[in-house]
Amino acid sequence: VVIILQGRYAGKKAVIVKNFDEGTSERPYPHAVVAGIERYPLKVTRSMDKKKVAARSRVKPFVKVVNYAHLMPTRYTLELEDIKAAVTAESLQEPSQRTAAKKAVRVSLEKRYLTGKNKWFFTKLRF
């Protein structure tokens, strides 16, 4: 788990899907493909009905290529086999593939949130 430091998603938590330590020809700097949470799930109380709980448990994901200089690693980890299958560096080129990758990330993150795993990852960073 990393925290994005710069840009539109600054202060948001993400997981590294694939890293490029040496860089590539079009990006000659070390970078990583990350999948993270743009909008975190809201607080849920016992008195809320199922429909409201489902709506407040929604997650808005993002997928992005980020320079290592703009990432801060944390001590937390996340098992992400299902996310790795959905998000690749090639899937970020085409807009339709990008939305499909986001949908797959959303499904896997919401499933993980509802099972109660990785609680820290789904809380907003307070700063």
Side-chain angles (χ1 to χ4, degrees):
V1 177
V2 295
I3 296 171
I4 310 288
L5 299 177
Q6 298 288 333
R8 179 179 179 183
Y9 303 111
K12 305 292 184 195
K13 296 173 192 168
V15 281
I16 293 179
V17 178
K18 183 160 176 46
N19 51 340
F20 299 91
D21 292 332
E22 304 302 315
T24 58
S25 57
E26 63 267 7
R27 292 178 196 268
Y29 49 87
H31 59 279
V33 177
V34 298
I37 301 179
E38 186 177 343
R39 190 166 54 236
Y40 293 95
L42 298 168
K43 187 179 177 186
V44 174
T45 61
R46 197 176 292 230
S47 62
M48 292 178 186
D49 59 336
K50 282 189 174 139
K51 187 177 171 187
K52 191 162 191 180
V53 168
R56 291 177 77 91
S57 298
R58 301 250 325 157
V59 170
K60 185 176 182 185
F62 68 88
V63 287
K64 191 168 172 55
V65 179
V66 184
N67 188 332
Y68 277 179
H70 306 313
L71 296 175
M72 184 174 80
T74 64
R75 62 183 180 161
Y76 299 97
T77 58
L78 201 71
E79 306 81 43
L80 66 162
E81 282 72 40
D82 44 351
I83 295 175
K84 265 192 179 153
V87 180
T88 60
E90 292 78 46
S91 69
L92 299 182
Q93 307 295 337
E94 181 76 27
S96 60
Q97 289 178 325
R98 189 185 201 98
T99 54
K102 278 188 195 174
K103 281 180 184 152
V105 170
R106 168 184 276 149
V107 168
S108 82
L109 287 178
E110 284 178 358
K111 187 173 69 178
R112 184 161 298 209
Y113 173 70
L114 291 172
T115 56
K117 292 182 178 158
N118 310 101
K119 240 180 177 61
W120 180 81
F121 185 69
F122 295 102
T123 55
K124 199 173 183 180
L125 194 66
R126 310 298 291 178
F127 67 96

